[in-house]
């Protein structure tokens, strides 16, 4: 099976790519669907949350019958027939992505895709992937805006080049501020595309994709590496995962 079914221009991904998907929210759900249908060898889902009725408009793996139940089990039920058809194995990690498991989770896969809903987890994923030399795709969405971009295994430019550090003050999230379902649907599909491109050696884009649902605008913005970046700069100061950097992630 090819990820370009009609043209068969790319090598079969069923050779055994292992992908870790952090977060089964509005971004992770469409990304998971695309990755399973593309036939990645192993898709490992990492989340510990339950399905919330208020999020059904964007979490497209779930239906009303799943409200209040475990997200991973509900996702597995939806994805199972698709996974069987494409030769993908679904694996479940019933945990948040935390400082104590971050490096091991990143080390054990070929690619990490994160659709986390908070900055602390995003920085933790970024640091763990950089330290383990794993490529990473980031995605985010809030109200009418969404972003996606990929970081190579070399890890430069990285998430800290763009956002520097976990915000000191509370910031708006989807639960409080809301998000347009179609916007995160577009971003989730983009995340899967960036991931498949990375896995098939088409390279990372080093461009930040932005989607504005109010103006129907899709743009690419270059991401510049910072010389003084603490993770990937010329004299990095981050050499290991220290829990104190990600207090909100483990709150
Ligand atoms: Zn950096």
């Amino acid at each position: 099976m090819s990820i370009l079914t009609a043209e068969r221009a790319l090598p079969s991904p069923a050779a055994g790519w292992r992908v870790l998907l952090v977060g089964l929210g509005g971004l992770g759900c469409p990304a998971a669907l695309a990755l399973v249908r593309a036939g990645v060898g192993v898709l490992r889902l990492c989340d510990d949350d339950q399905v919330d009725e208020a999020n059904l408009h964007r979490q497209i793996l779930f239906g009303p019958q799943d409200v209040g139940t475990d997200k991973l089990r509900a996702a597995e039920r939806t994805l199972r027939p698709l996974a069987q058809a494409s030769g993908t194995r679904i694996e479940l990690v019933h945990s948040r992505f935390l400082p104590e498991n971050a490096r091991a989770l990143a080390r054990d896969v070929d690619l990490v895709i994160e659709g986390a809903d908070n900055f602390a987890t995003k920085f933790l994923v970024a640091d763990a992937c950089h330290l383990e030399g794993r490529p990473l795709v980031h995605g985010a969405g809030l109200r009418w805006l969404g972003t996606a971009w990929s970081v190579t295994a070399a890890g430069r430019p990285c998430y800290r080049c763009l956002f520097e550090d976990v915000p000191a003050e509370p910031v708006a999230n989807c639960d409080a501020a809301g998000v347009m379902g179609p916007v995160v649907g577009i971003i989730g599909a983009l995340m899967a595309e960036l991931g498949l491109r990375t896995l098939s050696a088409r390279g990372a884009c080093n461009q930040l994709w932005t989607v504005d649902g109010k103006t129907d605008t899709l743009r690419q913005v270059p991401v510049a590496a910072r010389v003084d970046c603490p993770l990937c700069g010329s004299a990095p100061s981050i050499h290991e995962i220290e829990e104190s950097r990600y207090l909100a992630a483990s709150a």
Side-chain angles (χ1 to χ4, degrees), residues 38 55 60 122 153 218:
N55 299 334
I60 59 175
K122 290 177 178 297
L218 180 64

PDB file of all heavy atoms in Angstrom, residues 38 55 60 122 153 218:
ATOM      1  N   ALA A  38      -3.068   6.044   5.886  1.00  0.00           N
ATOM      2  CA  ALA A  38      -1.847   6.019   5.083  1.00  0.00           C
ATOM      3  C   ALA A  38      -1.061   4.733   5.312  1.00  0.00           C
ATOM      4  O   ALA A  38      -0.201   4.389   4.498  1.00  0.00           O
ATOM      5  CB  ALA A  38      -0.975   7.229   5.426  1.00  0.00           C
ATOM      6  N   ASN A  55     -16.511  18.803  23.291  1.00  0.00           N
ATOM      7  CA  ASN A  55     -15.432  18.782  22.298  1.00  0.00           C
ATOM      8  C   ASN A  55     -15.762  17.939  21.067  1.00  0.00           C
ATOM      9  O   ASN A  55     -14.924  17.792  20.175  1.00  0.00           O
ATOM     10  CB  ASN A  55     -14.146  18.232  22.936  1.00  0.00           C
ATOM     11  CG  ASN A  55     -13.672  19.098  24.097  1.00  0.00           C
ATOM     12  OD1 ASN A  55     -13.965  20.292  24.132  1.00  0.00           O
ATOM     13  ND2 ASN A  55     -12.961  18.496  25.031  1.00  0.00           N
ATOM     14  N   ILE A  60     -13.050  14.239  16.021  1.00  0.00           N
ATOM     15  CA  ILE A  60     -13.865  13.510  15.049  1.00  0.00           C
ATOM     16  C   ILE A  60     -13.744  11.987  15.135  1.00  0.00           C
ATOM     17  O   ILE A  60     -14.404  11.290  14.376  1.00  0.00           O
ATOM     18  CB  ILE A  60     -13.554  13.992  13.619  1.00  0.00           C
ATOM     19  CG1 ILE A  60     -12.082  13.788  13.298  1.00  0.00           C
ATOM     20  CG2 ILE A  60     -13.950  15.463  13.457  1.00  0.00           C
ATOM     21  CD1 ILE A  60     -11.731  14.136  11.853  1.00  0.00           C
ATOM     22  N   LYS A 122       4.005  21.001  25.238  1.00  0.00           N
ATOM     23  CA  LYS A 122       4.648  21.251  23.943  1.00  0.00           C
ATOM     24  C   LYS A 122       6.158  21.436  24.109  1.00  0.00           C
ATOM     25  O   LYS A 122       6.953  20.900  23.330  1.00  0.00           O
ATOM     26  CB  LYS A 122       4.019  22.473  23.268  1.00  0.00           C
ATOM     27  CG  LYS A 122       2.596  22.219  22.785  1.00  0.00           C
ATOM     28  CD  LYS A 122       1.986  23.472  22.184  1.00  0.00           C
ATOM     29  CE  LYS A 122       0.578  23.171  21.660  1.00  0.00           C
ATOM     30  NZ  LYS A 122       0.561  22.189  20.576  1.00  0.00           N
ATOM     31  N   ALA A 153      15.162  15.633  12.657  1.00  0.00           N
ATOM     32  CA  ALA A 153      15.863  14.900  13.716  1.00  0.00           C
ATOM     33  C   ALA A 153      17.066  15.691  14.221  1.00  0.00           C
ATOM     34  O   ALA A 153      17.451  15.568  15.387  1.00  0.00           O
ATOM     35  CB  ALA A 153      16.305  13.538  13.192  1.00  0.00           C
ATOM     36  N   LEU A 218      -4.280  30.499   4.046  1.00  0.00           N
ATOM     37  CA  LEU A 218      -3.252  29.521   4.401  1.00  0.00           C
ATOM     38  C   LEU A 218      -1.905  30.111   3.993  1.00  0.00           C
ATOM     39  O   LEU A 218      -1.701  30.457   2.829  1.00  0.00           O
ATOM     40  CB  LEU A 218      -3.500  28.203   3.655  1.00  0.00           C
ATOM     41  CG  LEU A 218      -2.521  27.061   3.892  1.00  0.00           C
ATOM     42  CD1 LEU A 218      -2.558  26.585   5.329  1.00  0.00           C
ATOM     43  CD2 LEU A 218      -2.846  25.896   2.945  1.00  0.00           C
TER      44      LEU A 218
END
